Amino acid sequence: MAALQMNISCLIFLQVLLFLLSLFALTDAQGLKVGFYDNTCRKAERIVKKSVLDAVKKDSTIGAPLLRMFFHDCFVRGCEGSVLLELKNKKDEKNAAPNLSLRGFEIIDSVKAALEKECPGVVSCSDVLALVARDAVVALSGPYWGVETGRRDGRVTNINEARANLPSPFDNITSLISQFRSKGLDKKDLVVLSGSGHTVGNGHCPLITNRLYNFTGKGDSDPNLDTEYAANLRRRCKPTDTTTALEMDPGSFKTFDKSYFKLVSQRRGFFQSDAALLDNQETKSYVFEQTKSYGSTFFKDFGVSMVKMGRIGVLTGRAGEVRKKCRMVN
């Protein structure tokens, strides 16, 4: 009898142990964690931070493109560095229309070179993008968050995938919600990441001329655009202007803050996709919540959404590779 009880106890113990191990496997399934390089390249995050701060000191407008680069990488094939790859035939993601305005690739190269000198073959280009995005936000007076690392780099880049997967500034709310949902992101992530992407940096005239001059084909402007703001934009963007850059968040386009939400609430969002946030009750509610003079949760929410986005389609373990140079596969 005693032997039987002992066997039952052992069986129960094994079942509990297997259950706990299964939970651990689920929580660690992606292989990402904060401080992934603590033992293999202790200075990694310090090297990235110094490089980004130096770059932003030299060019205060470079922070926004560095943040956008991470968004554009994650939405195509996942966060695996494919936006950095170059092909001789130019059929890479870099040459897709939505990515032509990206810049700062030389900064990624510089960071990677410094990391290779310190710890050869250890830190992936996809992790460089994630860390650079965080440090660029901090350099623009934005929040700090713990960046999960441990990604490995993909070997494929395709211009058509970028065209198909990147959200457009012309998208309506239904399309935006659908695109974000396909990446595992919800409505809150949509409005938070829209706010973070458009509170800093510039937009270009070709992306808004339809809102200003011929929105419905009758020579009119977008009725969802504040008339005074529209008139101001028309003075600066003529119908044939293809080069002029305008502040998406006038007055604080070099500072990561919550003023974007006030602009959207006043129908002064730069893009159609900004105005679209008022067409869904959940996203609209979040916009107006962040316009209050106290109790804003935007900075905290942004860190959470960035971590979620940073998990999209990651390669870990033995998948992919750690590129020696970010513009080409090994």
Side-chain angles (χ1 to χ4, degrees), residues 127-181:
D127 277 344
V128 168
L129 283 176
L131 292 167
V132 164
R134 190 267 310 280
D135 292 335
V137 168
V138 172
L140 296 172
S141 302
Y144 177 96
W145 68 95
V147 173
E148 293 180 339
T149 45
R151 300 169 189 80
R152 287 167 65 86
D153 300 321
R155 300 185 179 96
V156 177
T157 183
N158 186 306
I159 190 171
N160 294 322
E161 291 182 352
R163 291 168 177 163
N165 284 279
L166 287 170
S168 164
F170 306 109
D171 283 338
N172 60 34
I173 191 64
T174 302
S175 178
L176 289 168
I177 290 171
S178 176
Q179 289 182 78
F180 273 69
R181 184 184 293 125

Side-chain angles (χ1 to χ4, degrees), residues 23-38:
L23 285 181
F24 177 80
L26 286 171
T27 57
D28 196 41
Q30 291 179 302
L32 300 182
K33 68 176 183 178
V34 175
F36 181 85
Y37 298 110
D38 285 353

Side-chain angles (χ1 to χ4, degrees), residues 8 12 29 61 64 73 87 132 141 207-208 215 237 242 308 310 324:
I8 293 174
I12 293 173
T61 68
D73 183 50
L87 300 176
V132 164
S141 302
L207 299 177
I208 61 166
F215 190 71
C237 277
T242 60
K308 284 181 67 176
K324 296 175 183 177

Side-chain angles (χ1 to χ4, degrees), residues 79-113:
C79 310
E80 37 71 79
S82 56
V83 73
L84 302 173
L85 287 172
E86 295 178 348
L87 300 176
K88 290 182 180 180
N89 63 8
K90 305 295 184 182
K91 299 297 183 180
D92 47 58
E93 290 176 32
K94 276 187 180 180
N95 282 289
N99 288 334
L100 293 177
S101 62
L102 291 180
R103 61 191 182 92
F105 292 105
E106 72 285 352
I107 294 170
I108 303 299
D109 293 337
S110 176
V111 172
K112 178 61 174 173

Side-chain angles (χ1 to χ4, degrees), residues 59-69 71-72 98 100-103 140 169 194-208 229 233 236-237 242-255 260 263 269-271 274:
D59 178 4
S60 59
T61 68
I62 198 63
L66 292 175
L67 171 60
R68 285 183 59 224
M69 198 182 295
F71 293 155
H72 284 228
L100 293 177
S101 62
L102 291 180
R103 61 191 182 92
L140 296 172
S194 295
S196 63
H198 297 166
T199 188
V200 288
N202 294 312
H204 292 80
C205 286
L207 299 177
I208 61 166
Y229 184 47
L233 290 174
R236 302 179 66 186
C237 277
T242 60
T243 57
T244 300
L246 302 177
E247 301 171 11
M248 292 185 288
D249 188 352
S252 67
F253 78 110
K254 295 180 182 179
T255 304
Y260 165 87
L263 291 172
F270 193 76
F271 297 120
D274 296 321

